[in-house]
Structures are given as C-alpha cells and as structure tokens.
Amino acid sequence: MKTLYVSDLDGTLMDARAQVSPVSRRMLNEAIAAGALFTIATARTPATVSAILQGIDMRLDAIVMTGAARWNPRTGLYSHVCHFPAHLARAIIQAMLRCRYPAFIYTLTDNLIHIYRVGPMTEPEKEFIAWREHTPYKRVEFDVSESGDPWAGPLPDPADVVLFYSLQPMERLEAFYPEIEKVAPGVNALHYIDGDPNNISRGLGTLEIFAPDATKANAVRRLAHDLGVDRTVVFGDNVNDLSMLRSADVAIAPENAIPQVRALADKVIGHHADDAVARYILQHTQA
C-alpha cells in the first residue's frame, strides 16, 4: 500500500527548541531512503521553512501557509496557489480599516511573497517582521518604523492576496472575528493560541484568514491524488491541523496536542520533543 506521510511542524515534528532535531532528521532521511513519501503541512512560509528543512532529503513539495500553496524545497518554486477572490479580499481589507483591526496582508506574485500592513504592530509582530524583512523569500511593502500613519500605508491588489495574519490581544481578535463571516462568508478563518509561552503570557492570539479552498485538508488531498497514493497518514497538534486530520485515512497526534486534536486522532503517540513523529514514520516504513 502506497502511503503519504504529512506532518505539521510546530508542536509536532519540531522539538521544544523550534527545530527538527538531528535525531528526527536522521530517522526521516532513513525512512525517505527506504521509500517513504514524506512532506510537511505548515502555517509557515518558506522564509522559515527553508531553514527548518535543512538536512532533510525532501523529495516532495511542502504544503505551506496552511494549504494556500505548495513550495518545492529543491527548486524554490511555488505551485497550486490559492488566491482570494478579489471581492472577498477587498471586503476583508475594508472591514479591517473600518474596525481598526491591525493585520499583515500577504500577496504572492512572481514567486515572491509581498507583505503589506494595516494598523500599528504589537511588539511580537515587530519581532515577527524583523526576522523576515531581509529574507530573499519575502518583500516588505510598508514602513516597518511606523513613522507615519500606520492606517494609511499602501494596499495590495486584492486579486493577489493569499493570507491575512495578525497576532493581537484575544479580546480584540474575538471582537473582530464575527466581522469576517459577515463581509466574506466562506473564507477559511482560524483563530487560536499558537503555543508560544510568550504569546500566552501576553494574552495574544493568532488570526489567519485564507481563501475558501485554502486548507491543509485540500492541499493534502491534491498532493495524494498527484502522487497516486492509497493512504494518507497525517500528524498535527493544533486547530489549523483539524481539517487534514479529519480527512486523513490515519490521524495521529503527539501527546502534547490540544485536547480537541487528541480526541479526533486515531492514535496518540509520544511527545513532540521526543522525536515521536519521525520515529513513527521510520518504524512503519520498515515494517
């Protein structure tokens, strides 16, 4: 039986230091060399994914931005990009401006992510953009110094938008969240606590908004179809993994996963910090 293994990164394949450990890299490479079909599905973009996957013999496209695109680690090329319908992206931008809800807006054109901004940044968002503004994978299209009016910066072409992202106080996020369904019904909108202890202590939540078809589940299904596999085995720990866990033939959670994920999983394995995902893949490849 031909099986596709797909793992989330943060809290799943990556360890407590936010990296794929040398032990996991070794086991994954051994499994891939033995014929395992392995890839990742993450909310991250190639700006950080490229470094995380260093040392892993990736032979398949990575699913990035929660399913909004696939990215080939060997060629650096995107494919299967899910842009927003322009009218939905425009409605969300207008709602953010009207409600004074700050967020990053990502577009993807000519194989490059461009980042726009509405509103002032929280300190964690400033740290977030500082790590990414000088990467070759992204171009920042706003004044990161915020020396001018942060609500009056340049706005993207709505037809190019692939993602809205923010890291804001939960009460502010939850107050804005109902607006999304009002102005852009059917989009894939997720809000959750991302597990970073610093964000938890600050009461910050993550908001991600994608086009209607942009889900990890759809991206995994398309990749499985392209590869002609018989079975999908997926690993995840948080809210943005639920869609692919529900659609998988076998859904697996590390023991540190949120209760909702553990309840859904067909199997709960060891902790993400103990190389549980890579060990499972290797053991079942060798079986």
Side-chain angles (χ1 to χ4, degrees), residues 61-175:
D61 287 349
I63 294 167
V64 295
M65 293 184 286
T66 313
R70 280 162 40 182
W71 178 74
N72 188 303
R74 296 191 172 191
T75 66
L77 298 177
Y78 290 93
S79 64
H80 301 79
V81 180
C82 296
H83 289 101
F84 276 80
H87 70 285
L88 293 181
R90 184 179 299 108
I92 294 170
I93 293 170
Q94 291 172 347
M96 288 176 165
L97 292 170
R98 183 179 68 253
C99 298
R100 285 298 194 256
Y101 183 83
F104 296 109
I105 307 170
Y106 284 50
T107 68
L108 181 52
T109 58
D110 299 323
N111 210 59
L112 182 65
I113 290 174
H114 302 256
I115 307 178
Y116 296 80
R117 178 74 187 182
V118 292
M121 292 184 284
T122 60
E123 284 305 314
E125 286 177 329
K126 291 178 182 178
E127 296 166 9
F128 171 88
I129 206 66
W131 277 97
R132 291 156 175 83
E133 63 177 314
H134 301 300
T135 170
Y137 299 99
K138 292 181 177 177
R139 180 177 298 162
V140 175
E141 305 287 0
F142 66 96
D143 177 11
V144 297
S145 72
E146 298 189 326
S147 56
D149 182 355
W151 296 102
L155 295 175
D157 183 335
D160 295 332
V161 174
V162 292
L163 164 66
F164 295 87
Y165 170 82
S166 72
L167 190 58
Q168 292 288 317
M170 279 300 296
E171 62 272 16
R172 190 172 195 179
L173 190 161
E174 290 175 345

Side-chain angles (χ1 to χ4, degrees), residues 2-287:
K2 197 174 179 182
T3 299
L4 172 64
Y5 295 97
V6 183
S7 179
D8 173 53
L9 286 179
D10 294 85
T12 307
L13 182 64
M14 293 163 63
D15 63 19
R17 293 177 294 178
Q19 64 181 20
V20 180
S21 76
V23 173
S24 281
R25 288 199 299 269
R26 176 184 58 77
M27 289 191 290
L28 288 173
N29 284 337
E30 191 175 339
I32 292 168
L37 296 173
F38 167 77
T39 194
I40 56 102
T42 179
R44 291 175 178 263
T45 72
T48 54
V49 169
S50 58
I52 291 167
L53 297 181
Q54 284 292 317
I56 301 174
D57 184 20
M58 295 293 296
R59 302 181 184 183
L60 303 180
D61 287 349
I63 294 167
V64 295
M65 293 184 286
T66 313
R70 280 162 40 182
W71 178 74
N72 188 303
R74 296 191 172 191
T75 66
L77 298 177
Y78 290 93
S79 64
H80 301 79
V81 180
C82 296
H83 289 101
F84 276 80
H87 70 285
L88 293 181
R90 184 179 299 108
I92 294 170
I93 293 170
Q94 291 172 347
M96 288 176 165
L97 292 170
R98 183 179 68 253
C99 298
R100 285 298 194 256
Y101 183 83
F104 296 109
I105 307 170
Y106 284 50
T107 68
L108 181 52
T109 58
D110 299 323
N111 210 59
L112 182 65
I113 290 174
H114 302 256
I115 307 178
Y116 296 80
R117 178 74 187 182
V118 292
M121 292 184 284
T122 60
E123 284 305 314
E125 286 177 329
K126 291 178 182 178
E127 296 166 9
F128 171 88
I129 206 66
W131 277 97
R132 291 156 175 83
E133 63 177 314
H134 301 300
T135 170
Y137 299 99
K138 292 181 177 177
R139 180 177 298 162
V140 175
E141 305 287 0
F142 66 96
D143 177 11
V144 297
S145 72
E146 298 189 326
S147 56
D149 182 355
W151 296 102
L155 295 175
D157 183 335
D160 295 332
V161 174
V162 292
L163 164 66
F164 295 87
Y165 170 82
S166 72
L167 190 58
Q168 292 288 317
M170 279 300 296
E171 62 272 16
R172 190 172 195 179
L173 190 161
E174 290 175 345
F176 177 72
Y177 191 79
E179 290 294 319
I180 302 168
E181 185 60 30
K182 288 180 186 176
V183 303
V187 297
N188 177 22
L190 305 168
H191 72 289
Y192 56 93
I193 301 294
D194 70 4
D196 184 324
N198 291 326
N199 292 339
I200 293 172
S201 66
R202 293 165 171 170
L204 297 175
T206 296
L207 173 65
E208 298 169 336
I209 313 172
F210 301 92
D213 283 346
T215 67
K216 286 187 178 182
N218 285 340
V220 171
R221 277 194 290 264
R222 291 176 186 129
L223 181 58
H225 177 268
D226 291 348
L227 296 172
V229 302
D230 307 298
R231 187 177 70 140
T232 55
V233 178
V234 304
F235 306 81
D237 74 303
N238 213 327
V239 170
N240 64 352
D241 300 313
L242 288 170
S243 72
M244 71 172 181
L245 289 164
R246 290 191 184 102
S247 67
D249 294 296
V250 182
I252 301 177
E255 67 179 42
N256 55 280
I258 64 172
Q260 191 177 358
V261 168
R262 293 200 306 272
L264 177 65
D266 298 304
K267 184 177 180 63
V268 177
I269 56 176
H271 198 277
H272 77 110
D274 296 328
D275 305 294
V277 170
R279 183 171 293 107
Y280 181 97
I281 294 171
L282 179 59
Q283 288 174 348
H284 286 76
T285 301
Q286 295 174 332

